[in-house]
Amino acid sequence: MLLAGAGSATAQSTAASATKTDSLNIRKIYDEALLRGRSYEALRDLCTRIGGRLSGSPQAEQAVQWGKMEMEKMGLDRVYLQEVMVPHWVRGAQEKARATGAKGRGIDFNVCALGGSVGTKGKLKAQVVEVKSMAELAALPAEKVRGKFVFFNRPMNPTYMETGHAYGEAGDQRRIGAVEAAKRGAIGALVRSLTLAHDDFPHTGTMRYEDGVAQVPAAALSTNGADQLSQLLKADPDLNFELEMACQTLPEAKSYNVIGEIKGSKYPDEIITVGGHLDSWDLGQGAHDDGTGCVQSMEVLRLLKATGLKPERTVRAVLFMNEENGVRGGNKYAEVAKASQEKHLAAMESDGGGFTPRGFNLEADAATVRKVQRWQPLLRPYGSAEFNPGHSGTDIGPLKGQAKLLIGFDCDSQRYFDIHHTAADTFDKVNRRELELGGASMAALVYLLSKYGL
């Protein structure tokens, strides 16, 4: 006879035993990462030997072959390339900018073309009108804008604790500033760099044009440069600004997503994807954006193999191509997954830098979020227990509706936008321990998802 309460006690004992096993296995993952982690050296190779890897460039192709070789060396069950056509925009010669006042004295500015911008076809010279918002631009009389550069000078809001919130809020001036300026008859757009730092590094990033609207050049000024130009305009509203950019868009190029996987031991048809984007902007080495996400995603597979924690569900690492200026890789991956009727349990993305891990952002229904949150105590000893509803990632976004859960790896964001999309995004800015801890955090959650599913 089963005594009253005996079943409940047995269940509690089983649950406690499972928790202890999981805790020990997660400790193994972290020990392996901190003692023998490979992310940092892999990132060194990618950044210092190949460097910036804008879609369509020779460096992007080198990075594809690099990623394939790195995963083949791990002895995974499968490594393959997934073809995707990508945009091919080139920066050309170094951009030049100069402001000249009524007294004829010229001041040079650090600028860079925004990704996708047309060039100036020589030197483009005009007066400047400064605005802080799209609404302010729309309210200006037409004669105040026509034939001039529109200078969008709205800083990111420093009072937000989450810097990504500030970045997103200020980003419209970069993304659509040139379109809105052209609609009012302007000949170009100048944009304050999207960063909270005060320095001389201009930040690039994608912008877009609109059918039926004139395509005018768009350039970013460093924050110091934007402050200086604003002061100059107060003293001399009629100063002239001269811009020279040689950027252009070439025909689309063939590229690839790089994919490696470990087949699940019990449920091979259920897939957990973890990834970062292999392409980067061309100004720096693409270290934090997003070399760190790529090496961490590959490290998830290595950590599972090295610790002997063979996943019950298939775990797939994807190095996505063309996140920065098109999301072609993410769209292609989701398209192929749907056509192949693949069953994606979850997808995780690391694209916020390789800084100190904090936890994960979860995109799913409330019941699924609550289920994942039950694992928070297992990651609390490692500082990665913030499991909150939130944005997951750009490349895995197209899987929404196919995957039950989308996950964004969340790390400390305070320094990310200081170097994001700049020449300062280099390998020396990455801390080895922070990077390896991030890969371990990702591997720990993947281990739990693989074992328990959703």
Side-chain angles (χ1 to χ4, degrees), residues 276-319:
H277 65 85
L278 192 53
D279 64 305
S280 78
W281 287 107
D282 53 323
L283 297 176
Q285 296 177 340
H288 278 289
D289 189 23
D290 183 31
T292 54
C294 289
V295 298
Q296 286 173 327
S297 298
M298 294 191 296
E299 184 74 350
V300 167
L301 301 189
R302 193 197 72 79
L303 289 170
L304 293 174
K305 282 183 68 69
T307 53
L309 299 173
K310 186 164 181 60
E312 296 185 13
R313 289 160 172 85
T314 294
V315 180
R316 184 184 286 171
V318 183
L319 312 185

Side-chain angles (χ1 to χ4, degrees), residues 174-434:
R174 189 195 73 197
R175 294 188 302 270
I176 63 170
V179 168
E180 297 305 314
K183 286 178 180 177
R184 303 301 311 281
I187 56 94
L190 306 172
V191 180
R192 181 188 185 91
S193 285
L194 299 181
T195 178
L196 292 164
H198 294 272
D199 58 28
D200 295 314
F201 288 104
H203 292 228
T204 191
T206 193
M207 53 82 67
R208 64 174 177 82
Y209 291 114
E210 191 175 295
D211 290 343
V213 179
Q215 296 186 356
V216 301
L221 285 79
S222 69
T223 49
N224 283 348
D227 290 342
Q228 184 179 26
L229 181 57
S230 184
Q231 289 300 315
L232 290 172
L233 287 168
K234 287 180 175 64
D236 183 1
D238 297 324
L239 67 75
N240 280 293
F241 195 88
E242 187 175 274
L243 180 66
E244 188 173 5
M245 304 195 307
C247 46
Q248 60 178 315
T249 298
L250 302 177
E252 291 190 352
K254 184 192 295 184
S255 192
Y256 304 89
N257 292 328
V258 187
I259 304 173
E261 67 181 31
I262 300 174
K263 282 288 185 187
S265 59
K266 289 187 179 179
Y267 312 102
D269 293 337
E270 294 188 24
I271 299 166
I272 300 167
T273 288
V274 57
H277 65 85
L278 192 53
D279 64 305
S280 78
W281 287 107
D282 53 323
L283 297 176
Q285 296 177 340
H288 278 289
D289 189 23
D290 183 31
T292 54
C294 289
V295 298
Q296 286 173 327
S297 298
M298 294 191 296
E299 184 74 350
V300 167
L301 301 189
R302 193 197 72 79
L303 289 170
L304 293 174
K305 282 183 68 69
T307 53
L309 299 173
K310 186 164 181 60
E312 296 185 13
R313 289 160 172 85
T314 294
V315 180
R316 184 184 286 171
V318 183
L319 312 185
F320 294 99
M321 182 54 68
N322 184 231
E323 187 272 347
E324 291 293 3
N325 60 337
V327 200
R328 299 285 185 87
N331 287 326
K332 172 60 75 171
Y333 182 77
E335 174 191 316
V336 172
K338 187 174 184 178
S340 305
Q341 296 185 317
E342 290 181 341
K343 184 179 179 182
H344 271 78
L345 181 73
M348 178 187 296
E349 182 169 337
S350 172
D351 187 19
F355 300 103
T356 304
R358 294 285 183 253
F360 301 91
N361 295 323
L362 309 173
E363 274 192 70
D365 60 75
T368 300
V369 169
R370 285 195 298 272
K371 181 174 179 68
V372 177
Q373 286 174 332
R374 289 205 295 265
W375 295 327
Q376 285 176 291
L378 288 164
L379 285 168
R380 192 161 286 125
Y382 308 99
S384 293
E386 294 182 14
F387 287 24
N388 300 307
H391 175 67
S392 56
T394 300
D395 277 314
I396 62 174
L399 284 170
K400 195 166 188 176
Q402 295 186 57
K404 191 171 183 181
L405 170 67
L406 300 181
I407 308 164
F409 169 64
D410 186 33
C411 59
D412 188 287
S413 70
Q414 302 309 318
R415 291 170 287 159
Y416 182 57
F417 292 105
D418 291 1
I419 61 174
H420 176 259
H421 294 181
T422 75
D425 187 9
T426 50
F427 174 72
D428 60 292
K429 306 300 192 307
V430 178
N431 177 275
R432 179 196 291 268
R433 186 172 177 85
E434 290 179 328

Side-chain angles (χ1 to χ4, degrees), residues 38-92:
R38 285 288 305 148
S39 298
Y40 191 72
E41 291 308 320
L43 184 66
R44 184 199 302 274
D45 190 40
L46 175 65
C47 290
T48 61
R49 188 168 60 82
I50 298 175
R53 0 177 234 286
L54 192 56
S55 293
S57 69
Q59 293 81 6
E61 176 56 30
Q62 291 173 39
V64 165
Q65 297 307 318
W66 169 87
K68 184 171 181 285
M69 288 177 60
E70 285 291 311
M71 286 202 272
E72 285 174 342
K73 287 189 291 187
M74 293 181 188
L76 305 177
D77 294 325
R78 187 184 180 203
V79 178
Y80 61 102
L81 302 181
Q82 186 177 76
E83 183 179 316
V84 57
M85 296 300 293
V86 298
H88 188 191
W89 178 82
V90 293
R91 186 171 302 279

